[in-house]
Amino acid sequence: MILGMSLAGFTVLHLIISMIAIGLGFVVAGGMLASSRLPGWTLWFLVLTILTSATGFLFPFTKLLPSHIVALISLALLAVAVYALYGKGLSGVWRAVYVVTAMLALWFNVFVLIAQGFQKVALLNVYAPTGAEPPFAITQGIVLLFFIGLIILGIKRFKTV
């Protein structure tokens, strides 16, 4: 039992939080590209992305896993993003810091989504059963390039005035 739920129930809750966070992240990214702050959407993106990483630690585990390392890095990035947005008001360099940290946190969620997809979806697992095969690496590489482009465009287009 986790938070009064069965492991299966908690897994579904974690998945729902993660998927909503990813969806909101893309809305926020679109706002950045349109130079719009989208304060409500952004707040929920940050809250649910933090919850995604935090709830991952509630699953039973006996040793630190790569998913925990990703979650710790994501939480650190999110702490900086929250500080840049709410503590520094995106002033000066904090605007770019916010774009980079918020979008990297989104990328980490998408990275984990892809990794879980290759592990758990039979159609994908056939092509990369261990996660070390070229289809997995190529997919993650393409997504990483997409996010690098998104971050560069976000820094250029997201204005706080």
Side-chain angles (χ1 to χ4, degrees), residues 68-78 108:
H68 297 120
I69 303 299
V70 168
L72 288 170
I73 294 168
S74 183
L75 287 168
L77 290 166
L78 288 161
F108 273 119

Side-chain angles (χ1 to χ4, degrees), residues 20-31 45 103 106 110 146-147 150:
I20 294 170
I22 289 170
L24 290 172
F26 282 111
V27 170
V28 169
F45 160 65
M103 291 302 97
L106 175 58
V110 173
F146 169 80
F147 273 93
L150 181 63

Side-chain angles (χ1 to χ4, degrees), residues 14 33 80 120 124 127:
H14 176 75
L33 296 180
V80 174
K120 311 245 190 279
L124 297 174
Y127 296 104

Side-chain angles (χ1 to χ4, degrees), residues 91-159:
S91 63
V93 71
W94 290 102
R95 179 188 56 80
V97 168
Y98 168 72
V99 171
V100 170
T101 55
M103 291 302 97
L104 284 176
L106 175 58
W107 170 70
F108 273 119
N109 268 359
V110 173
F111 179 91
V112 170
L113 174 66
I114 292 167
Q116 290 292 311
F118 273 96
Q119 283 181 354
K120 311 245 190 279
V121 176
L123 180 65
L124 297 174
N125 187 265
V126 168
Y127 296 104
T130 69
E133 294 80 9
F136 178 78
I138 290 167
T139 302
Q140 291 290 23
I142 291 168
V143 171
L144 177 59
L145 290 174
F146 169 80
F147 273 93
I148 289 169
L150 181 63
I151 289 168
I152 291 167
L153 282 174
I155 291 170
K156 289 180 179 181
R157 292 185 180 178
F158 186 52
K159 307 296 178 205

